Amino acid sequence: MHTTVLRPWRSGQRGPRADRLVTAVTASVPPRIAAAGWTPDVGTEQLLAHAAHALRVLDAEHGHALAGLSSLLVRTEAVTSSRIELEQATIDDVARASVGGRANPSATLVVRAGAALGRLAAIAPGGTITESAVLDAHRVLMADDPVDGRYAGRWRDVQNWIGGGASPRLASYVPPPADEVPALMADLLAFAHRDDLHPIAQAALVHAQFASVHPFTDGNGRIGRALVAAVLRCRGLGLRVTAPVAVVLAAERDRYFGLLEAYRTGPVDDLVRDLAIAIGTVCDEATTTALLLAEHRAWLATLGLPAALAHVLGHEPFVSEDTLERLLPAGIEPTVTRLCGVGVLLPLTARRRDRVWRVVGVAAELEAFVERVTDAVRARQVPLPAPVGACA
C-alpha cells in the first residue's frame, strides 16, 4: 500500500477562497518495488502464459507482414492512448496534422504521442529502459506544448495532482512530492530491469507504479502506457509487433482507472490479469488485420504500381505529397488521379501544396481493428473488483 506525507503547499493562482486557504497537502508515496516479490495464482499464471503465447505466435506467423505495419500499430496505440486522456482525433485528423494542416489540437498531440511511443518501443530486445530514454520520449511528446513545454524531458520539480481543479484540495489523487521523484524513478527502472518476473506482469506493474509516481507535469499517461511496449520488447515479447493495448484500455476507461486506483491500496492481481487479457485480445484482432491487409496488398499488386509505392500504400493509413514526390520523381498527378479514381486514395486537404491523402483500405482496416477490439472488450463485461481499504 502507498503511504502518505504532509507537505506545505500554497496556491500560486487566483481561485476560490477555500483553495487559497490551503497551507498543506497530503501526498501519496508509493512503496519501493525494485526487490518486491509477487507470485501469480494458477488462473493468473495461465492467463499470462496464454497472452505471451499469443504475442509470440503473432510475431512468428505474421511478424514479417506486421513488421511493415509497425508504424500503423504505433499510430493506433497513440490515437487510443490519447483518447484515454480525452484527446479526440481521427486518423484523418492525424493525417492533416502530420503535414501541418488544419486539425484539432488533439491531432497534433497524437502525432507527438506516436513519435514518443516509437522511441520507447524501438528499444532493442534484451536492452534496458534507461532514465535518458524515458526523458527523451517525454521531450518528444511535450516539447511544443504551450503550457508544459518548459518541463519537457525532465522530472517535475513541482507538486502535481489529478482532478480537483486549480488546487489539490479536492484532488482524486496527489502523487508524491517532487523531491521523492528521482529516487522513486530509479527504483522503478531497477524493477523494470529484472528478469525473474513474467514479462507481462512486469509491464503491468511498471505501468501502474509509473502512474502512481506521476513523474512529469503532464504526459504521464501516454508515457506510462508506452512503457508497457518497452518492457515487453526488452523481455523478448513483441519483437517485431507493438501490441496496441491502449485500444482495450480506452474501451474500458473507467475500469482501467479503477485498477490503477486499486493498485495504490495493495492488490495487483486484477491489474495483471487485465493486461494479459488485453494483449490476448489485440493479438487475435491483429491477426485478422494482417490477413485483411494481405488481401489489400494483393489487390494493389494488380494495379501495376512501382514496388516502393505499393509498399507504402499497403502499410500506411495516409500518404503525404512529399512521400509521393519522393516515390514518383517524374510527377505525381497522373498516378494520384488514377488512384483516387479506383478508390485507393481519398484527398484530405484542399490546398495546392503539402497535400495528404487517406489510403482508404489501410485506414478503414485500422478503424475496423479498433471497433473489433472494442466490441470484444465490451462483450466480456467483467465487473471491477471492489477496492480493498481506503485509497491514499
Side-chain angles (χ1 to χ4, degrees):
M1 291 182 65
H2 294 26
T3 58
T4 59
V5 61
L6 188 68
R7 290 291 179 87
W9 188 87
R10 185 172 297 278
S11 176
Q13 304 179 29
R14 293 183 178 181
R17 184 172 183 272
D19 287 348
R20 288 184 279 111
L21 291 177
V22 174
T23 59
V25 59
T26 300
S28 183
V29 181
R32 303 300 198 265
I33 64 170
W38 177 77
T39 303
D41 59 34
V42 173
T44 303
E45 190 172 21
Q46 291 174 343
L47 274 176
L48 290 169
H50 172 78
H53 176 71
L55 196 48
R56 290 190 181 100
V57 168
L58 184 67
D59 250 8
E61 296 187 0
H62 299 285
H64 179 70
L66 290 177
L69 295 175
S70 59
S71 61
L72 173 70
L73 295 180
V74 164
R75 284 197 180 97
T76 307
E77 179 76 350
V79 168
T80 50
S81 186
S82 294
R83 195 168 295 154
I84 292 170
E85 308 298 331
L86 301 181
E87 300 287 355
Q88 300 293 335
T90 66
I91 289 297
D92 293 350
D93 291 330
V94 173
R96 296 184 189 98
S98 70
V99 294
R102 289 186 178 181
N104 63 53
S106 295
T108 302
L109 288 175
V110 171
V111 171
R112 293 203 298 263
L117 173 60
R119 294 288 184 97
L120 283 176
I123 292 175
T128 58
I129 303 169
T130 63
E131 176 180 308
S132 62
V134 177
L135 294 176
D136 180 57
H138 186 258
R139 185 178 299 108
V140 170
L141 176 66
M142 301 301 300
D144 297 323
D145 188 273
V147 176
D148 288 280
R150 58 182 172 149
Y151 294 108
R154 61 186 178 96
W155 307 135
R156 59 180 169 87
D157 56 8
V158 295
Q159 182 64 60
N160 57 357
W161 57 90
I162 299 174
S167 88
R169 180 173 62 91
L170 300 176
S172 59
Y173 177 66
V174 181
D179 57 13
E180 298 268 5
V181 169
L184 283 166
M185 286 305 301
D187 173 81
L188 185 154
L189 293 175
F191 177 83
H193 297 161
R194 287 171 55 175
D195 60 4
D196 61 332
L197 295 167
H198 193 284
I200 294 173
Q202 187 176 20
L205 297 175
V206 164
H207 172 54
Q209 182 78 352
F210 185 91
S212 284
V213 176
H214 236 63
F216 300 117
T217 58
D218 194 15
N220 293 284
R222 278 160 283 194
I223 297 297
R225 287 183 288 273
L227 282 172
V228 172
V231 170
L232 295 177
R233 182 66 55 89
C234 289
R235 293 295 308 279
L237 287 177
L239 299 181
R240 291 178 288 185
V241 177
T242 297
V245 295
V247 180
V248 175
L249 303 181
E252 294 187 301
R253 187 173 180 271
D254 290 343
R255 177 181 177 84
Y256 165 54
F257 286 144
L259 289 171
L260 292 180
E261 181 179 342
Y263 173 81
R264 300 168 198 151
T265 70
V268 302
D269 294 60
D270 288 302
L271 177 75
V272 171
R273 281 193 287 266
D274 266 42
L275 182 61
I277 293 170
I279 289 174
T281 301
V282 298
C283 284
D284 289 344
E285 298 305 336
T287 298
T288 300
T289 291
L291 297 174
L292 291 174
L293 288 178
E295 294 179 3
H296 170 71
R297 289 193 294 272
W299 175 59
L300 288 176
T302 67
L303 301 179
L305 301 172
L309 176 60
H311 179 82
V312 169
L313 299 180
H315 294 89
E316 295 292 341
F318 57 85
V319 62
S320 68
E321 184 170 5
D322 284 345
T323 298
L324 290 179
E325 287 178 343
R326 175 173 53 83
L327 297 174
L328 300 167
I332 70 172
E333 299 305 330
T335 301
V336 166
T337 299
R338 178 189 173 209
L339 292 177
C340 287
V342 297
V344 175
L345 297 181
L346 179 70
L348 297 177
T349 53
R351 57 193 182 186
R352 294 185 177 182
R353 293 295 302 169
D354 294 327
R355 293 173 292 173
V356 64
W357 292 264
R358 175 184 175 98
V359 182
V360 175
V362 179
E365 173 48 34
L366 174 55
E367 293 162 343
F369 168 80
V370 174
E371 291 177 4
R372 291 196 306 269
V373 171
T374 301
D375 289 344
V377 168
R378 291 174 178 167
R380 35 181 199 106
Q381 295 183 337
V382 180
L384 180 67
V388 178
C391 178

